[in-house]
Amino acid sequence: MEDENEINIENSKDQETPDLSKLTPWNSSEYPVQVNSIRYNQDFSLLTLGTSKGYKIFLTSNLLPAHDDSEVIKNLGDISIAMVYFKSSLVFFLPSRYNETFTNSELIIFDDFYQKKIASFKDKSEELINFFLSKNIVLMITLSRIIVVELYTFKIIDIIDNVNTMNKLMSFNFYDFLVYVKLSDKKKIYIKYYQNENHKIKSVIKKKISSNFEFMQNLSLSPYGNYLCTVSIFGNKIHIYDIKFEKLKFCIYLGPNILVIEKIFFSEKKPNYLFILKNENKFNIYKLPLNDPNEKECTCDKYDDSKIGTENKKEGMGGIFGYFRKFSKNKDVWDSHASGELSGEIEFVDFDRNKNKDIIYINKKGEFFHYHFNKMRTGNLLPKIKVQWV
């Protein structure tokens, strides 16, 4: 078994290797702050931590600090969520309710270089609970609505009411696409694309997809806004829609078990790899066919979730046939391209969207894991890097 503080691949020459003997995990009593959140910037080059004493910014490539951890930043207080805008000095953050300097209904824009607050936004009617940054807009999330603000002018361009603002039932990408479900209309999925010109919103393109699922557990948008993935309430059925044509593209049946789908990620360069993190930290990676123009029919709809594993809607498939279908290899169940299990309590996980073949995650002990799987061999999953976070 490898020592936990060893890197088992060679780092590139232009990257400095952290001194592993001096790293302190953030669950240690010696670590000076509590970590509240972890966010990528838009090009995945930086990770920003919202902490109990300001924020911290690290390079994704080697986990080295990307800024000076000054007293001014520490005095910002308890921060719920923080995120850097691309590779600029602008840091957007949402204070927590324990912050004594700012109110938790205020989104702060802070200049990391000049060490000062330069702007803020407050919603007078509701508390802000989350926010997201894309290329040109800021999404401010309250308990029941989304406030869309143009980034360069900071003007409100859209207010979407009656939205289910649970993280699993709304999705966005860094190319100004937004997907959400309304509280009053569970089977409809709303899609908006805020088309811009010279970083100013020119128009809003609206689409609507009718879901086959009456209730959904999770949904996820692909990086370029071409595919939408939805998960049934029991987690065992997945539909992938082509957003442009508003039609079902793929239907994936995971078997006659109740599952909790925690995270879904598409690969970026070629969005034909789907990473699914299930309950108990188990994951599967599915390889979707490329360049398949045909519209698909739902193949998982015939399995009745009210009687999972015993019978389905198709006449003659219950009873003894349903029993054998439950405990035997099901021809409708997709074989995953790779699968495995992540160790420890997970703080942050993502598919490495630049390489389309790597998984990175950080657990609550402050350990950073980088896994690599080989596209050419099914099920080949190997640990790449495992270091403690500084």
Side-chain angles (χ1 to χ4, degrees):
M1 183 176 180
E2 293 181 340
D3 184 84
E4 288 189 353
N5 288 338
E6 285 186 357
I7 297 179
N8 52 22
I9 64 165
E10 292 183 1
N11 286 281
S12 60
K13 294 181 180 180
D14 58 345
Q15 293 181 2
E16 184 180 347
T17 303
D19 185 352
L20 301 179
S21 64
K22 296 180 180 179
L23 302 186
T24 305
W26 62 41
N27 70 335
S28 167
S29 59
E30 300 175 6
Y31 199 74
V33 299
Q34 174 184 330
V35 176
N36 299 323
S37 65
I38 305 172
R39 282 278 178 92
Y40 272 124
N41 66 339
Q42 288 92 334
D43 62 4
F44 305 99
S45 61
L46 299 173
L47 280 169
T48 310
L49 277 59
T51 79
S52 57
K53 292 184 180 179
Y55 58 83
K56 293 178 179 290
I57 306 171
F58 294 90
L59 298 172
T60 306
S61 58
N62 52 21
L63 301 183
L64 292 175
H67 75 136
D68 295 327
D69 193 12
S70 68
E71 287 300 320
V72 174
I73 294 174
K74 292 177 182 177
N75 290 334
L76 294 175
D78 200 65
I79 290 178
S80 175
I81 303 168
M83 179 178 171
V84 178
Y85 181 69
F86 283 97
K87 294 178 182 177
S88 72
S89 64
L90 296 182
V91 181
F92 289 67
F93 68 81
L94 188 65
S96 78
R97 61 185 59 186
Y98 306 108
N99 194 298
E100 298 178 354
T101 307
F102 306 99
T103 63
N104 63 325
S105 61
E106 184 178 15
L107 179 66
I108 308 295
I109 298 93
F110 189 83
D111 193 311
D112 185 74
F113 182 78
Y114 290 104
Q115 303 275 286
K116 65 178 183 179
K117 171 185 170 182
I118 59 174
S120 66
F121 183 94
K122 292 182 181 180
D123 182 31
K124 296 179 180 179
S125 58
E126 285 189 304
E127 174 187 343
L128 294 177
I129 61 172
N130 206 344
F131 77 91
F132 299 106
L133 294 178
S134 70
K135 292 181 70 175
N136 302 285
I137 60 176
V138 187
L139 304 177
M140 303 186 189
I141 316 299
T142 73
L143 290 172
S144 64
R145 64 179 184 162
I146 302 173
I147 305 165
V148 185
V149 177
E150 190 177 63
L151 188 59
Y152 279 70
T153 63
F154 227 58
K155 294 180 180 178
I156 296 177
I157 57 174
D158 199 4
I159 296 178
I160 308 168
D161 293 310
N162 196 28
V163 177
N164 191 328
T165 56
M166 289 177 56
N167 279 339
K168 289 186 176 183
L169 291 178
M170 58 177 294
S171 185
F172 82 108
N173 64 18
F174 293 143
Y175 298 96
D176 304 325
F177 275 89
L178 170 64
V179 173
Y180 58 93
V181 176
K182 289 199 171 183
L183 292 167
S184 58
D185 196 354
K186 298 179 178 64
K187 291 194 70 173
K188 298 291 183 182
I189 305 168
Y190 297 85
I191 302 154
K192 286 190 175 182
Y193 170 53
Y194 297 90
Q195 193 174 35
N196 72 88
E197 185 176 300
N198 298 323
H199 299 293
K200 291 186 177 181
I201 302 304
K202 181 180 178 181
S203 62
V204 181
I205 298 174
K206 302 177 183 179
K207 287 183 176 289
K208 190 187 298 184
I209 289 177
S210 297
S211 171
N212 297 67
F213 304 137
E214 185 173 357
F215 299 98
M216 284 174 285
Q217 181 192 130
N218 207 328
L219 58 82
S220 183
L221 181 66
S222 66
Y224 290 108
N226 47 353
Y227 292 125
L228 170 67
C229 176
T230 63
V231 182
S232 67
I233 192 65
F234 291 105
N236 61 343
K237 300 174 182 178
I238 293 176
H239 285 171
I240 300 173
Y241 296 91
D242 186 309
I243 290 179
K244 181 179 180 181
F245 297 102
E246 302 177 25
K247 294 180 179 179
L248 182 66
K249 186 73 173 177
F250 302 107
C251 178
I252 301 176
Y253 182 54
L254 302 182
N257 299 310
I258 297 176
L259 301 170
V260 177
I261 306 299
E262 300 290 351
K263 297 283 185 180
I264 305 169
F265 297 108
F266 285 89
S267 55
E268 181 162 340
K269 291 182 179 178
K270 295 181 179 179
N272 66 317
Y273 286 89
L274 190 70
F275 170 78
I276 299 175
L277 179 65
K278 301 180 290 187
N279 49 326
E280 300 179 346
N281 292 352
K282 295 179 180 178
F283 69 86
N284 293 88
I285 298 172
Y286 294 94
K287 186 176 182 180
L288 309 175
L290 279 173
N291 302 322
D292 187 355
N294 298 322
E295 181 181 354
K296 301 295 180 183
E297 293 184 0
C298 177
T299 58
C300 67
D301 185 55
K302 58 188 175 184
Y303 299 105
D304 190 347
D305 281 341
S306 65
K307 300 177 181 179
I308 286 181
T310 57
E311 60 181 342
N312 54 41
K313 295 177 183 177
K314 193 173 181 180
E315 186 178 357
M317 292 303 293
I320 189 169
F321 292 100
Y323 176 86
F324 281 112
R325 202 167 182 84
K326 175 183 177 183
F327 294 104
S328 64
K329 180 65 177 176
N330 192 316
K331 65 179 182 179
D332 293 328
V333 176
W334 273 50
D335 291 325
S336 58
H337 179 72
S339 62
E341 184 174 345
L342 307 182
S343 62
E345 295 183 74
I346 296 174
E347 183 79 23
F348 174 84
V349 64
D350 206 334
F351 206 37
D352 190 330
R353 305 181 187 191
N354 292 322
K355 298 180 180 178
N356 298 339
K357 56 184 179 181
D358 295 343
I359 303 165
I360 69 167
Y361 79 97
I362 302 165
N363 65 19
K364 289 187 181 295
K365 292 182 179 180
E367 295 172 324
F368 176 87
F369 294 80
H370 193 161
Y371 282 92
H372 172 80
F373 73 93
N374 189 337
K375 291 181 183 179
M376 303 303 294
R377 292 177 57 190
T378 300
N380 180 25
L381 189 77
L382 300 172
K384 190 176 182 184
I385 301 176
K386 181 181 180 183
V387 298
Q388 288 183 310
W389 191 277
V390 63

